[in-house]
Structures are given as structure tokens and as C-alpha cells.
Amino acid sequence: MTETPVTDTTFEVHDPAVLAQARRLLDACESGFDMQEAVIAAVQRNERWRGQQCINLLAPEAPTSPAVRTLLSSEVGTRAAEGHIGRVNRWFAGTQYIDEIEALCVELLKQAFRARYADHRLVASMIGNLTVYTALAEPGDVIMSIAQPFGGHSSNRNDGPAGVRGLRIVDVPMDPVELEVDLDLFRKMAPLVRPKLVALGASMTLFPFPLRAMSDIVAEWGGKLFFDGAHQIGLIAGGQFQDPLREGAAVMTGSAGKTFSGPQSGIIVWDDPALTEPITHAIFPVLAATHQVNRVAALAVAAAEMIEYGEIYMARIVRNAQALGAALEGRGIPMLGAQKGFTRTHQVIADVRRFGGGLEVGHLLARANIVTNKNLLPGDTPEDWDRPSGLRMGTIEVTRYGMGESEMDTIADFMARVLVEGQSPSVVAEEVVEFRQGYQTLYYDFDHGLPG
Ligand SMILES: *Cc1c(COP(=O)(O)O)cnc(C)c1O
């Protein structure tokens, strides 16, 4: 085959060395078939390593059930079905079974979240947040949201959908020790800027938010609370965290692939009938056209799994996170929120400055087959995003593979051997692979139910 023509990567944002390696692989191919095989081989390497040999502690990740994975490759994923559910609402004919699938999904989501309204068409939670900012705010409006060092997410800040919508963003005041909203300061600040929306929920969330008190404050000028439950909606569906719609939030979005353990995409739910028109109009025709009906079917099954297993699955995730936090702290790795029991969610956060910082520690642990992520801490600035002080861990995947509190001790031992005792990560990696061999079955689904 001919040489790959484009080799100038001057304006490329991606790591040029990784792109060059891909070009070398493709140049070595003799046919299109070889190119296909190169792609499949990379997928299989990941499946073997991350899927079978690593302890995955990434907080935004969940392994999906076999039923969900099968539906993701189903025939219906090739069908186009824009519009609202129903014969007259669709542009295309022939959608009667698609209507059935989508209606099942909507009704299952309503049931899982005990909400009056739900939408199934968000291909990402980012789009859910843009939906909220499109439906419930105008360019130039003031909103309040949490800054990144306290766990705030770009989607609610200047560099994401909120900024694209032209909103003016004021920080929600946070207490750096309690890792909660500074309610006294909020009470003083909010009336000065009268935000139309206050976005709560964060990528780093250890403790609940004072939603009722904050919603009472902003109600004085008709402001609304928006709960971005990207990380927590599984916990919320399972009744293991606060319940934002019952505590004053007007609307809640979330990622279907984080604690909710479904296909990566977005969920949005609300109770007030007056919000239905603006929200669903922002979804269609503004932000979604073909919305991946295979994904909708998979999301519907994930919701059924949550209805059946959510309460116990999510309770064990939180218990495991608390156990992991205590085990790491006990082995000399300083943890945030130690004074308050470490966490009320699926996450724990370590301050890893003394071990070289979040970037170094994350990559060191990955060499021991333990996957985490670097994270900003309250003392960092947003500009520290590439080399922050913290490390974030989550217990969704280890829980779904049937692990409990004693396994959290084992995982903390592996981590402490690398970070505190300075053992070679490759030596620890061999033991991690062996340990992981015992945990290859997924639970909390209709194939395997509850663990032993
Ligand atoms: C992950 C995350 C998002 C984005 O969700 P996607 O489903 O990945 O688009 C939005 N907000 C918060 C707080 C998040 O943590």
C-alpha cells in the first residue's frame, strides 16, 4: 500500500509520538484487512490488561453487564429515529418497535429515579448539562457553580457548555477542610449576584450538599438548583446518597456509565411539568438527532438492573469506599475527609504530594496494574490540572466484581507497598494479576445476581 500521506503534526493536539506509532503500524499493513486487525488487536490488548489483569479504581468507570454489552452491538443501533416517541412525532416511518424500546427506557428511568419525567436521548452527560443551560438560562445570565479544585466539572464552568452558552459564572463557596458548601458564605454571596441557576454536584464529591437550604435561599429571586449528579446518580437511584429532586433541585443530570453502571451516555430527570417543554425542546431538535437506539436499549436494561439490585450494590460500593479510605490512611497515605469517615460516596481522595504528586503516583501505580487518576485538591489552582496534588479512587468496578471490605485491605496493601515502602511496581503487578484472577465474574445483574 502507499505511504500514509499526512505526516505533519505541527498543529496536532494529540501526543505526536503516539500518532507516529499508529502511522508506523498502518504503514506496515499490506491491506485494509491488516488495518482492521491492527485495530482489533489494540482492543484485545486493552480487554486483557484492563479487563482481566488490573484493579480499576477509576471513579467514573463501571463494568457493564453482559446483557448491556450485547445490546450495545444490536441491530437497532443502525436505525435512525429522531424526534419524540410516537407515530406522528417521528420523521421516519417504521419505528413502532423503536418507540416501544424508547418508551420502556423512559418509564424505567422514571421508576429508577422516582421522577415524573425523564429523557433518554443524551449521548453524554455533557450534553445534558448543555440542555439545562439551553433550556433554563439565557446568555448573560449569572449562574453559580463549583470551581475545579473543589471538584467542579468543566461542563459547569467557563471552559465548557456553561461558558459556550455565554453564562457568567460565580463560584459556589466551599469549605476546604469540611469539603462541603460554605453555607454561611453562600447565604451572604448569593443575594449579591442572584444566580438564575446554582449547579451542584461535582466530579470529586465525598459528602452531601445542603440542597434544601440552598434552594430556599435562591427561591427568593426565582433561582433554581440544578444537580449535576454525573458521578452520584447510581447512588441516588439506589437510595444511598441524598435525593436531589426531593430536596429542592429542579432538574438532575447524570452519566449513565459512572455509578449507574450503564452504557456511557447521559440521563436527565425532573418533576415540574412546566420544565418539560423547554427541556425536551432543547434535546430535540436542538441537541440530539439520531440518538443511538442500541444505547437506549442498553440504558433501559441498566435501569432495570438498578431497580432490582441498586440498593444493595450501591450500599456496598459506599461501604467499600469507606473501607478503602481507612485502609490507605492506616498505611500512611493521607486521605481527605479522614475526620468525617472519609466519604459518603463511591470515591476517596488521597493527598499524594509526599509521594511525588498525582501525575507521578498515578503512572507509578498503573505500572503495578492499579488504575487511578490524578486529581486537583482544594489547595491547587485550576492551572495545576496537569500536575495536581491528589489522587482519586472509586470502588464501583471492584464492588461489581464481588469484592468486599477485606479485599479493600488487600488493595491498600498493594498500593502502600509501591508508594510507602518503595517496592518495584512490576513485582507488585505480578501479584495484582494473580489476585485479579479470582475476580472475573460480574454481579448485580440478571446473569449472576448477588455475590456468594
Ligand atoms: C463526568 C462528568 C460530566 C460529564 O459526563 P459525561 O457523561 O462524561 O459527558 C459532567 N459533570 C460532572 C460533574 C462529571 O463528573
Side-chain angles (χ1 to χ4, degrees):
M1 299 237 353
T2 51
E3 286 276 294
T4 314
V6 185
T7 49
D8 182 358
T9 55
T10 317
F11 296 105
E12 192 57 78
V13 296
H14 305 294
D15 185 332
V18 183
L19 293 179
Q21 170 62 17
R23 282 197 305 278
R24 275 194 297 278
L25 269 177
L26 295 175
D27 288 345
C29 290
E30 309 234 308
S31 65
F33 177 80
D34 288 352
M35 295 176 179
Q36 165 188 288
E37 295 304 290
V39 174
I40 292 172
V43 170
Q44 286 172 342
R45 277 194 290 277
N46 192 70
E47 186 164 330
R48 186 167 150 73
W49 186 53
R50 295 291 301 281
Q52 295 168 7
Q53 302 182 329
C54 281
I55 296 169
N56 292 289
L57 297 174
L58 280 184
E61 257 181 28
T64 47
S65 69
V68 165
R69 289 184 205 186
T70 303
L71 285 169
L72 279 175
S73 58
S74 56
E75 176 270 351
V76 79
T78 64
R79 304 298 158 200
E82 42 186 79
H84 305 311
I85 297 167
R87 196 162 181 265
V88 182
N89 295 329
R90 302 276 196 193
W91 198 243
F92 308 118
T95 59
Q96 64 271 34
Y97 303 120
I98 292 170
D99 281 341
E100 192 180 339
I101 296 165
E102 294 191 15
L104 283 166
C105 186
V106 167
E107 293 303 324
L108 281 161
L109 288 174
K110 289 182 193 171
Q111 211 178 312
F113 292 101
R114 306 164 295 278
R116 284 179 75 178
Y117 303 97
D119 204 284
H120 57 296
R121 290 171 288 186
L122 304 172
V123 293
S125 199
M126 285 300 259
I127 307 294
N129 292 359
L130 184 54
T131 296
V132 171
Y133 294 129
T134 304
L136 305 181
E138 298 290 332
D141 281 348
V142 173
I143 68 156
M144 291 180 81
S145 67
I146 300 170
Q148 273 100 337
F150 289 95
H153 189 263
S154 63
S155 51
N156 305 310
R157 306 294 289 172
N158 245 323
D159 46 355
V164 165
R165 181 67 174 143
L167 305 178
R168 288 154 54 206
I169 297 159
V170 176
D171 292 354
V172 170
M174 297 291 289
D175 182 322
V177 177
E178 296 301 312
L179 305 165
E180 286 181 38
V181 172
D182 184 335
L183 192 56
D184 291 335
L185 201 50
F186 181 81
R187 212 183 295 282
K188 290 183 193 121
M189 278 177 66
L192 303 177
V193 293
R194 296 163 74 90
K196 193 147 179 195
L197 289 171
V198 177
L200 293 163
S203 306
M204 174 174 75
T205 295
L206 299 178
F207 304 108
F209 296 88
L211 295 180
R212 177 52 66 198
M214 294 175 80
S215 115
D216 288 347
I217 293 167
V218 299
E220 272 171 48
W221 52 87
K224 287 186 169 59
L225 285 197
F226 154 38
F227 196 80
D228 174 354
H231 269 266
Q232 304 88 18
I233 45 163
L235 304 176
I236 292 164
Q240 303 302 318
F241 194 60
Q242 61 191 147
D243 197 350
L245 290 184
R246 248 62 56 189
E247 294 168 35
V251 56
M252 175 165 75
T253 59
S255 301
K258 297 181 185 174
T259 49
F260 197 73
S261 303
Q264 290 179 339
S265 57
I267 293 171
I268 185 167
V269 290
W270 66 98
D271 276 335
D272 180 356
L275 300 184
T276 298
E277 206 284 321
I279 288 175
T280 53
H281 179 80
I283 294 171
F284 183 84
V286 178
L287 295 171
T290 40
H291 46 254
Q292 307 166 347
V293 188
N294 54 329
R295 177 195 60 74
V296 175
L299 178 60
V301 166
E305 291 168 358
M306 287 307 267
I307 290 165
E308 182 76 18
Y309 297 110
E311 189 177 346
I312 183 156
Y313 175 28
M314 295 296 136
R316 288 182 184 169
I317 284 175
V318 175
R319 213 172 61 194
N320 279 344
Q322 290 164 343
L324 183 63
L328 289 169
E329 174 92 9
R331 285 160 181 76
I333 298 169
M335 303 300 295
L336 269 60
Q339 77 279 13
K340 302 163 66 166
F342 303 99
T343 185
R344 300 268 302 278
T345 71
H346 61 302
Q347 302 182 357
V348 284
I349 310 289
D351 178 341
V352 292
R353 276 173 299 180
R354 72 169 71 152
F355 306 114
L359 177 70
E360 293 304 323
V361 166
H363 285 278
L364 190 64
L365 288 170
R367 285 167 50 205
N369 286 23
I370 298 168
V371 184
T372 59
N373 72 270
K374 63 182 180 184
N375 216 80
L376 290 167
L377 296 188
D380 293 329
T381 69
E383 291 70 40
D384 295 327
W385 69 268
D386 52 349
R387 287 185 159 72
S389 305
L391 194 76
R392 183 180 63 168
M393 289 151 277
T395 51
I396 307 171
E397 180 159 329
V398 291
T399 305
R400 202 165 203 187
Y401 275 114
M403 297 185 203
E405 286 151 286
S406 66
E407 285 88 352
M408 299 306 112
D409 278 336
T410 308
I411 293 171
D413 279 335
F414 287 136
M415 293 178 67
R417 281 168 55 192
V418 176
L419 299 184
V420 182
E421 296 166 28
Q423 288 189 24
S424 145
S426 54
V427 170
V428 174
E430 283 175 29
E431 289 180 46
V432 167
V433 171
E434 207 178 296
F435 167 79
R436 226 350 261 288
Q437 290 316 307
Y439 303 91
Q440 298 287 335
T441 304
L442 288 167
Y443 295 96
Y444 310 103
D445 63 27
F446 302 107
D447 284 23
H448 291 105
L450 299 175

